[in-house]
């Protein structure tokens, strides 16, 4: 319990900074909707671009940009990428930081096992990520209510946000647990940021490639971001095949983290 509280306290300022930055970014993007709608973006001529390219970058339905759901679904995908980076960084730093900063000696002086260390850190960081995600989604929903077009259904918007909240939560937890697995293999957190960025962008690119051609569609399953893509969730609801893939990855990486960390030679 002491380690759980310590972990939460360590990330308190980081959590606050991320919430503020994402909230301001979301507000800025959503506040542009009325002006963008008046510009008639749905009338943009994108015929010169291949349909596969438009699909890969979620621009195949330009008419949807005239609604708050369609506009938010497209713009918020970039916030989803940032969310993946945040959760991956939490996981990648979690275990390696103790060795890098020399605090593993303090943990060893406590009556706590390696498995308890991993479990406490997983629960604490999952709570930190969940807090960030729920607050971010509540703020995003309120922002959409303020700037929505006349006649937009609040109940439909709420339902869409509820589905996106769940899908995005699973996405973040997946990146978090993959980050934990990487952290269990590292002895220093110096490369944590670069690994987190590489992990998220690599999987995002795999998703883009998977949508460019049907032969590569299987690559989409390696992209947690695509499992929670706002435009897709708002249009088709939750894609449970992608969610189940994320849950399998989440479960396996969680078990592997315990296994590797228990057998790891720690630098005390």
């Amino acid at each position: 319990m002491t380690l759980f509280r310590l972990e939460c306290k360590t990330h308190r300022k980081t959590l606050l900074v991320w919430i503020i930055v994402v909230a301001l970014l979301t507000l800025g993007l959503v506040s542009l909707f009325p002006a963008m709608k008046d510009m008639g973006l749905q009338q943009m001529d994108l015929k010169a671009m291949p349909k596969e390219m438009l699909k890969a970058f979620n621009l195949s339905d330009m008419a949807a940009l005239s609604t708050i759901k369609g506009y938010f679904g497209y713009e918020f995908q970039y916030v989803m990428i940032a969310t993946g980076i945040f959760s991956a960084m939490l996981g990648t730093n979690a275990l390696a930081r103790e060795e890098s900063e020399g605090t593993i000696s303090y943990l060893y002086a406590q009556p706590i096992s390696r498995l308890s260390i991993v479990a406490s850190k997983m629960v604490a960081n999952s709570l930190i990520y969940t807090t960030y995600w729920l607050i971010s989604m509540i703020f995003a929903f309120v922002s959409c209510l303020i700037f929505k077009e006349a006649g937009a259904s609040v109940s439909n918007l709420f339902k869409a946000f509820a589905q996106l909240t769940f899908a995005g939560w699973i996405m973040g937890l997946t990146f978090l647990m993959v980050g934990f697995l990487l952290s269990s293999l590292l002895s220093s957190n110096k490369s944590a940021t670069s690994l987190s960025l590489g992990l998220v962008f690599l999987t995002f690119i795999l998703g883009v490639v998977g949508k460019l051609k049907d032969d590569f569609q299987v690559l989409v399953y390696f992209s947690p971001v695509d499992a929670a893509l706002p435009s897709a969730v708002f249009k088709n609801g939750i894609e449970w095949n992608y969610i189940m893939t994320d849950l399998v990855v989440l479960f396996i990486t969680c078990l592997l983290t315990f296994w590797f960390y228990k057998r790891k030679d720690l630098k005390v």
Side-chain angles (χ1 to χ4, degrees):
M1 195 65 181
T2 301
L3 180 56
F4 172 83
R5 291 196 298 267
L6 182 62
E7 190 74 8
C8 290
K9 184 178 180 180
T10 299
H11 292 292
R12 186 169 53 191
K13 291 183 180 179
T14 303
L15 173 63
L16 182 60
V17 169
W18 271 86
I19 288 175
I20 292 174
V21 170
V22 169
L24 291 177
L25 177 60
T26 301
L27 180 61
L29 291 173
V30 176
S31 65
L32 293 175
F33 170 66
M36 302 292 272
K37 180 177 180 294
D38 292 339
M39 288 173 59
L41 286 181
Q42 67 274 22
Q43 301 301 325
M44 288 179 60
D45 186 10
L46 297 177
K47 294 180 180 179
M49 293 183 64
K51 292 182 179 180
E52 292 79 8
M53 185 70 72
L54 294 176
K55 181 181 178 182
F57 291 96
N58 310 300
L59 287 169
S60 54
D61 187 8
M62 291 298 294
L65 293 180
S66 62
T67 67
I68 189 62
K69 284 176 61 177
Y71 175 82
F72 178 84
Y74 172 73
E75 296 290 349
F76 201 69
Q77 65 181 321
Y78 302 107
V79 177
M80 299 293 290
I81 294 174
T83 295
I85 293 172
F86 172 63
S87 56
M89 287 178 63
L90 283 177
T92 310
N93 275 289
L95 300 173
R97 186 182 71 247
E98 303 297 345
E99 290 185 78
S100 183
E101 298 178 359
T103 51
I104 190 66
S105 300
Y106 167 77
L107 292 180
Y108 260 23
Q110 309 301 314
I112 183 172
S113 66
R114 290 193 183 191
L115 296 185
S116 296
I117 291 175
V118 176
S120 296
K121 283 181 170 287
M122 279 185 175
V123 173
N125 283 279
S126 295
L127 178 61
I128 291 167
Y129 166 70
T130 301
T131 301
Y132 153 82
W133 183 239
L134 288 178
I135 294 176
S136 298
M137 290 306 296
I138 291 172
F139 189 87
F141 177 67
V142 173
S143 298
C144 285
L145 287 181
I146 295 173
F147 294 101
K148 68 180 179 66
E149 74 275 15
S153 172
V154 175
S155 60
N156 287 341
L157 190 61
F158 178 80
K159 180 181 178 180
F161 264 85
Q163 293 177 320
L164 179 60
T165 299
F166 174 75
W169 181 62
I170 296 297
M171 178 209 74
L173 289 181
T174 303
F175 279 121
L176 179 68
M177 292 306 159
V178 173
F180 260 94
L181 176 59
L182 293 175
S183 190
S184 70
L185 300 172
L186 299 172
S187 57
S188 172
N189 66 338
K190 292 182 180 179
S191 58
T193 300
S194 57
L195 281 174
S196 301
L197 289 170
L199 172 65
V200 175
F201 283 115
L202 174 61
T203 55
F204 178 73
I205 291 172
L206 288 176
V208 171
V209 174
K211 288 180 288 188
L212 283 174
K213 194 173 182 180
D214 291 341
D215 293 343
F216 301 141
Q217 192 170 7
V218 68
L219 293 177
V220 178
Y221 287 91
F222 294 92
S223 176
V225 175
D226 274 271
L229 205 60
S231 56
V233 173
F234 281 2
K235 184 178 180 180
N236 304 316
I238 296 175
E239 295 280 357
W240 287 104
N241 50 339
Y242 295 148
I243 294 295
M244 292 305 298
T245 301
D246 281 358
L247 289 175
V248 170
V249 172
L250 192 158
F251 180 72
I252 292 175
T253 51
C254 181
L255 291 180
L256 287 176
T257 299
F258 281 102
W259 192 85
F260 280 119
Y261 196 73
K262 185 178 180 180
R263 291 159 177 77
K264 183 180 182 181
D265 292 328
L266 299 175
K267 295 181 180 179
V268 181

